[in-house]
Amino acid sequence: MTVPATDVPIDPAPLHADCALTSQGWARDVRVTLRGGRIAEVETGAPARPGDRRLAGRALLPSPSNLHSHAFQRAMAGMTARRGHEPDSFWTWRKLMYRFLDLLTPGQIEAIAALVHVEMLEAGYAASAEFHYVHHQPGGAPYDDRAELSTRIVAAAAQSGIGLTLLPVLYSHGGAGAQPLSGGQLRFGDELDGFAKIMDGAARALAALPPDARLGAAPHSLRATRPEQLRELAAAWPQAPLHIHAAEQVREVEEVEAWLGARPVAFLLDQTGIDARWCLVHCTQMTPDETSRLAASGAVAGLCPITESDLGDGTFAGAAYLAAAGRFGIGSDSDIRIGLADELRTLEYSQRLAHRARNVMAAPGDSVGETLYRGALAGGAQALGRRSGALEPGFWADLVAIDTGDVALAPLRPDQWIDGWLFAAGDRVVRDVWAAGRHVVREGRHIRRDAIEARYRAALADLTGAL
Ligand code: ZN
């Protein structure tokens, strides 16, 4: 299929906010001029001018990128919460996930992704990295166009206007030790030659999107690839942001250690040249040494606290990682619940429960909410290879306006607003979102929600209660 060029328009009007979060802190009377989807100028203490889009009663912030999503899993949310007869775990959930994805058609995958984008944008994310591993037909035969399903993700982004970094996934093996693929995994499988064709097709499809769209690449995990493939992949696409599932489950760590003689994160750091190009998704199983070494590597730890809670993965060593100045961002992963505030709040609360303490993820004197938010801005932008995450000239205009008149924020000072958003109000305070200047959320609602939701409902009718 061919992706029609996106017709989500860029909003050229300068923005004027009573208050905005700049790189120097909160500022009053902030005027942001946009050009070609980027921020051209940021003036503080500036009065509004005729023709400005006034954001009265709203605060303007850079919008974070969602660094990890498997959009199709959104449609099975709610289908895996019935207790089974064997103890439930990540691995029993994965069996259900394989069963579900074997039912999906290209049209359904596109419809689900478009709704997921709408929900992400309404939550306040301007951009998303889609870690896309379903490539083939059920049983493993490639589609006539090998990049058919990557193209469907791009088509969804053309409808939603989200800033997309597409990460086609290399998945060659069914388990640690180069085991063969089986069952649902047959839809994922490629060696590097087939994967290269998907990358070429994905690049062609992405050309239909505005220029903020990016192509990255993702070896799925150590358990689904061979170490030499990681090195070859990194060399073959030297500009691409690289993502990998690192260390999510104890069993996975044990299997990789038995095979390669090292724990996954340690192996990746020692053997594959992990650096700032890389995002290691799920770092729930790390030793203190791995934690400090990952922090020093410049790579981004991709944290998905809601999904990691849902799957019983474990707790990220957040306090130690933050103390070591490690970079991190957040992702909605299984998309079981898409919430920017929920994700960051769950991250902090997981630390409080683990340490029996309060306000863990901040330096003394700092706001937890603002620390987490600024971390997610920088880490998300780095992981997506996207120049965003700050109100600075030259950056993509990935912006979110929140309602500072919301009853939960009304009693707060500006430097408490993000804490009020994350811990008290939730994402209902999100009123406007711009993705590279595309004004896609207005008054809290995506401009195409009705049409995209209708397509989702129609496309998913056959899958009611599929699990
Ligand atoms: Zn994942």
Side-chain angles (χ1 to χ4, degrees):
M1 73 174 285
T2 313
V3 180
T6 187
D7 56 350
V8 179
I10 286 183
D11 182 354
L15 307 176
H16 187 276
D18 297 338
C19 230
L21 184 66
T22 71
S23 299
Q24 289 73 43
W26 286 98
R28 290 201 178 275
D29 285 318
V30 179
R31 190 166 181 273
V32 181
T33 312
L34 310 179
R35 193 173 303 130
R38 295 181 193 268
I39 296 168
E41 191 181 5
V42 180
E43 302 164 81
T44 57
R49 295 182 208 162
D52 288 0
R53 182 181 290 279
R54 290 291 309 278
L55 303 171
R58 292 174 191 182
L60 188 66
L61 300 87
S63 161
S65 297
N66 184 333
L67 59 63
H68 191 66
S69 161
H70 313 287
F72 79 86
Q73 293 177 12
R74 175 66 181 149
M76 57 182 270
M79 293 186 189
T80 63
R82 184 173 296 269
R83 187 168 175 169
H85 295 290
E86 55 178 322
D88 280 321
S89 67
F90 169 89
W91 305 101
T92 58
W93 170 86
R94 196 178 71 154
K95 280 186 203 161
L96 295 171
M97 185 263 283
Y98 287 172
R99 226 167 81 198
F100 185 75
L101 70 86
D102 241 7
L103 304 171
L104 296 176
T105 66
Q108 288 169 327
I109 287 171
E110 179 180 330
I112 299 167
L115 183 77
V116 162
H117 294 168
V118 164
E119 294 189 335
M120 287 177 181
L121 289 159
E122 287 180 351
Y125 296 111
S128 176
E130 179 67 15
F131 194 106
H132 174 68
Y133 59 82
V134 185
H135 298 307
H136 306 311
Q137 301 179 53
Y143 290 97
D144 290 342
D145 172 0
R146 208 174 179 97
E148 169 75 32
L149 297 183
S150 294
T151 303
R152 296 292 183 154
I153 303 295
V154 176
Q159 295 160 40
S160 69
I162 203 165
L164 178 67
T165 291
L166 180 62
L167 305 165
V169 171
L170 173 68
Y171 201 117
S172 300
H173 294 290
Q179 292 172 35
L181 301 167
S182 64
Q185 295 170 334
L186 296 171
R187 294 195 79 174
F188 317 156
D190 271 301
E191 289 291 324
L192 271 168
D193 54 348
F195 175 73
K197 291 178 186 148
I198 293 173
M199 289 288 284
D200 288 346
R204 279 194 296 277
L206 283 165
L209 296 185
D212 56 296
R214 288 285 313 259
L215 179 65
H220 178 273
S221 56
L222 282 172
R223 62 185 146 85
T225 53
R226 303 183 301 281
E228 69 271 20
Q229 290 177 307
L230 304 193
R231 291 185 281 267
E232 289 170 29
L233 186 151
W237 288 279
Q239 307 301 325
L242 300 173
H243 290 222
I244 187 169
H245 288 129
E248 182 171 9
Q249 283 283 318
V250 171
R251 187 177 116 189
E252 165 185 41
V253 172
E254 290 170 352
E255 288 174 357
V256 166
E257 200 169 11
W259 174 38
L260 298 173
R263 299 169 57 84
V265 173
F267 184 88
L268 289 167
L269 289 166
D270 289 334
Q271 302 293 330
T272 52
I274 294 298
D275 59 16
R277 268 177 88 192
W278 285 85
C279 175
L280 270 59
V281 182
H282 304 308
C283 296
T284 41
Q285 310 298 332
M286 294 200 295
T287 63
D289 184 57
E290 286 174 314
T291 302
S292 59
R293 291 182 58 210
L294 178 62
S297 74
V300 176
L303 311 179
C304 310
I306 293 174
T307 298
E308 288 160 6
S309 302
D310 179 61
L311 298 177
D313 287 339
T315 309
F316 176 66
Y321 191 75
L322 197 69
R327 301 176 191 182
F328 68 91
I330 50 165
S332 55
D333 192 6
S334 69
D335 295 316
I336 185 168
R337 164 123 190 113
I338 297 170
L340 177 45
D342 289 357
E343 209 71 71
L344 290 171
R345 185 172 64 250
T346 303
L347 173 57
E348 168 66 17
Y349 281 179
S350 69
Q351 305 301 309
R352 295 187 189 191
L353 291 166
H355 293 275
R356 299 181 195 170
R358 296 196 68 250
N359 299 335
V360 179
M361 294 294 281
D366 287 352
S367 147
V368 173
E370 198 167 317
T371 300
L372 292 174
Y373 194 85
R374 285 188 183 278
L377 286 172
Q382 179 178 324
L384 269 71
R386 187 175 176 86
R387 193 156 187 241
S388 65
L391 292 186
E392 299 273 355
F395 280 54
W396 291 115
D398 284 0
L399 305 169
V400 54
I402 61 170
D403 176 12
T404 55
D406 183 277
V407 69
L409 271 50
L412 304 181
R413 299 187 309 262
D415 65 348
Q416 297 171 323
W417 281 340
I418 297 179
D419 290 321
W421 174 6
L422 303 191
F423 294 107
D427 295 335
R428 71 169 187 244
V429 299
V430 172
R431 306 311 296 165
D432 298 88
V433 175
W434 294 260
R438 300 178 291 276
H439 191 183
V440 284
V441 174
R442 303 180 187 206
E443 299 302 329
R445 197 172 166 81
H446 190 279
I447 54 173
R448 297 197 173 143
R449 176 175 257 283
D450 290 344
I452 289 172
E453 191 179 305
R455 274 199 292 275
Y456 175 88
R457 288 178 187 277
L460 273 287
D462 293 347
L463 290 171
T464 302
L467 296 180

